[in-house]
Amino acid sequence: MAIERTLSIIKPDATRRNLTGKINALFEGAGLRIVAQKRIRMTSEVAGKFYDVHRERSFFSSLCDFMCSGPVVVQVLEGENAIAHNREVMGATNPANAAPGTVRREFAESIEANSVHGSDSPENAAREIGFFFSEMEIVG
Ligand code: GDP
């Protein structure tokens, strides 16, 4: 299997509850390596650009407000099949449907405040990693 990189975000509901370390332990326990990481506060302009594909969806402005409501931790995860593998570790979008042991089942508060973001395709992973990180900041 190919070694891939994927963009992960630990969302404001999780940083507020001091869960960064516990979530990182789930990633590392699943074999994903954190090869870049920084804590930032998104502005509404940044959140709007990042979630541009969801602009027409009914929850777009609520999602952008939520993502700006506190610090987030943006990270690059690396590993075999990392994009799909991280989606498995995260669990379903709605924590009510997420499998036991997944980040969202263990920690998410709601379908919106669901603790983590993860890229869903190689194209989006490349775009999303480039959105937050320069090559120099990613050390595998
Ligand atoms: P993901 O790839 O599993 O994160 O899910 P999506 O790409 O479909 O949605 C992006 C993000 O929008 C999710 O992670 C949630 O934070 C939020 N979201 C998705 N669906 C809903 C919804 O029905 N209502 C609200 N309020 N937020 C949602």
Side-chain angles (χ1 to χ4, degrees):
M1 258 184 287
I3 299 292
E4 291 177 338
R5 287 176 173 174
T6 190
L7 192 278
S8 165
I9 305 177
I10 300 178
K11 296 184 179 183
D13 66 286
T15 60
R16 179 171 45 77
R17 288 175 290 148
N18 210 21
L19 292 172
T20 300
K22 285 194 171 133
I23 292 174
N24 280 347
L26 287 183
F27 292 149
E28 293 183 339
L32 293 162
R33 301 180 72 83
I34 302 163
V35 296
Q37 175 166 265
K38 59 190 172 191
R39 184 173 168 106
I40 61 168
R41 181 84 182 240
M42 287 192 190
T43 61
S44 54
E45 193 192 356
V46 168
K49 259 192 218 160
F50 182 75
Y51 279 120
D52 196 49
V53 291
H54 294 314
R55 197 164 285 278
E56 302 309 320
R57 294 173 81 173
S58 58
F59 56 81
F60 175 75
S61 76
S62 173
L63 174 61
C64 290
D65 287 348
F66 163 62
M67 292 301 286
C68 298
S69 69
V72 299
V73 178
V74 290
Q75 10 179 236
V76 180
L77 306 180
E78 184 179 84
E80 279 187 10
N81 211 16
I83 298 163
H85 185 39
N86 182 43
R87 301 278 303 177
E88 285 168 19
V89 175
M90 291 162 56
T93 307
N94 186 344
N97 302 327
T102 60
V103 176
R104 285 168 166 171
R105 176 66 172 267
E106 297 303 311
F107 299 123
E109 294 182 319
S110 68
I111 191 169
E112 179 174 271
N114 58 4
S115 300
V116 281
H117 165 88
S119 308
D120 63 2
S121 68
E123 297 70 32
N124 285 339
R127 180 186 78 81
E128 292 175 0
I129 290 170
F131 187 89
F132 287 111
F133 292 97
S134 69
E135 266 308 311
M136 228 175 75
E137 294 175 301
I138 306 170
V139 185

